[in-house]
């Protein structure tokens, strides 16, 4: 669903959409969409700006990713509202000025658009990526994988740590004996 500046100049647009898994490309993100993505909201061109577009709405979807610690599947339900601002992408040589603008505005989530408008799928994709936790874990208490034997320490305890500590004492003991 594409919102062109031309159409937005005439009127504010509303959307109420559902994207099935596969319709939005999450390939490079390590995330997989495992439920339909439902989103609703409005897109408007802000007056008295140089083509700034505001996208407000809410979305709901369940994503999954490999747990950062144990590599098992970790579910990430997302249910959030958003209020995003997009500006026309500045010409390449003006990048420095654009960075300064971003710094000045601090808290506001500001992005850029190219090609005369906004693709809704891109907006939703970006918002979902930003709403993921820094650490994608299956559970805050996930114990991860044993670096020595490779076992998932959540499902079966291994005694590698104890053993390697014992080995160290063993080495020390044989040293002092010699
Ligand atoms: Zn885990
Ligand atoms: Zn182990």
């Amino acid at each position: 669903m594409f919102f062109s500046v031309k159409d937005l100049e005439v009127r504010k647009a509303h959307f109420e959409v559902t994207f099935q898994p596969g319709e939005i490309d999450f390939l490079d993100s390590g995330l997989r969409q495992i439920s339909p993505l439902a989103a609703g909201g409005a897109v408007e061109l802000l007056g008295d700006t140089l083509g700034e577009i505001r996208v407000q709405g809410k979305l709901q979807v369940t994503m999954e990713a490999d747990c950062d610690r144990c590599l098992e599947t970790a579910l990430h339900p997302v249910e959030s509202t958003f209020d995003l601002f997009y500006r026309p992408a500045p010409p390449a040589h003006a990048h420095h000025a654009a960075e300064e603008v971003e710094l000045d505005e601090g808290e506001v989530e500001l992005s850029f658009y190219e090609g005369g408008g906004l693709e809704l799928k891109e907006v939703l994709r970006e918002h979902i990526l930003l709403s993921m936790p820094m650490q994608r874990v299956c559970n805050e208490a996930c114990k991860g994988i044993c670096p020595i034997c490779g076992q998932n320490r959540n499902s079966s305890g291994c005694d590698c740590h104890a053993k390697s500590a014992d080995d160290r004492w063993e080495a020390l003991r044989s040293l002092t004996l010699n």
Side-chain angles (χ1 to χ4, degrees):
M1 190 177 266
F2 186 79
F3 299 104
S4 74
V5 172
K6 269 190 184 155
D7 291 342
L8 294 172
E9 274 169 356
V10 181
R11 71 175 69 84
K12 184 172 174 172
H14 295 267
F15 59 91
E16 198 69 53
V17 289
T18 303
F19 291 112
Q20 298 301 323
E23 290 188 72
I24 296 178
D25 183 359
F26 286 103
L27 278 184
D28 296 331
S29 66
L31 291 169
R32 297 178 292 275
Q33 182 187 337
I34 58 164
S35 80
L37 186 168
V43 185
E44 67 181 313
L45 189 68
L46 299 179
D48 301 324
T49 65
L50 294 168
E52 196 165 314
I53 299 175
R54 182 180 196 177
V55 187
Q56 284 175 285
K58 56 181 170 27
L59 70 81
Q60 190 172 14
V61 66
T62 301
M63 306 296 293
E64 67 170 29
D66 297 338
C67 172
D68 285 347
R69 294 183 204 151
C70 73
L71 306 182
E72 294 293 317
T73 298
L75 288 183
H76 297 286
V78 180
E79 186 172 1
S80 68
T81 59
F82 48 84
D83 189 2
L84 309 165
F85 295 85
Y86 289 83
R87 285 194 180 162
H93 65 266
H95 255 188
H96 189 63
E99 278 161 24
E100 284 177 350
V101 168
E102 265 186 293
L103 286 180
D104 287 348
E105 267 161 289
E107 299 301 302
V108 179
E109 270 192 66
L110 182 68
S111 307
F112 296 99
Y113 68 88
E114 281 172 343
L118 265 188
E119 173 55 52
L120 183 61
K121 284 181 185 177
E122 285 301 315
V123 173
L124 299 177
R125 178 182 192 278
E126 193 176 337
H127 179 67
I128 290 168
L129 294 181
L130 286 173
S131 54
M132 283 296 125
M134 290 292 284
Q135 273 221 315
R136 296 175 187 167
V137 290
C138 61
N139 185 311
E140 282 301 325
C142 174
K143 299 190 194 106
I145 285 176
C146 171
I148 298 162
C149 72
Q151 269 195 68
N152 184 337
R153 291 194 282 205
N154 299 306
S155 45
S156 57
C158 65
D159 52 2
C160 290
H161 182 68
K163 222 186 286 170
S164 65
D166 286 349
D167 289 348
R168 238 174 287 142
W169 285 114
E170 204 60 54
L172 209 67
R173 235 175 266 135
S174 50
L175 263 179
T176 46
L177 280 177
N178 287 341

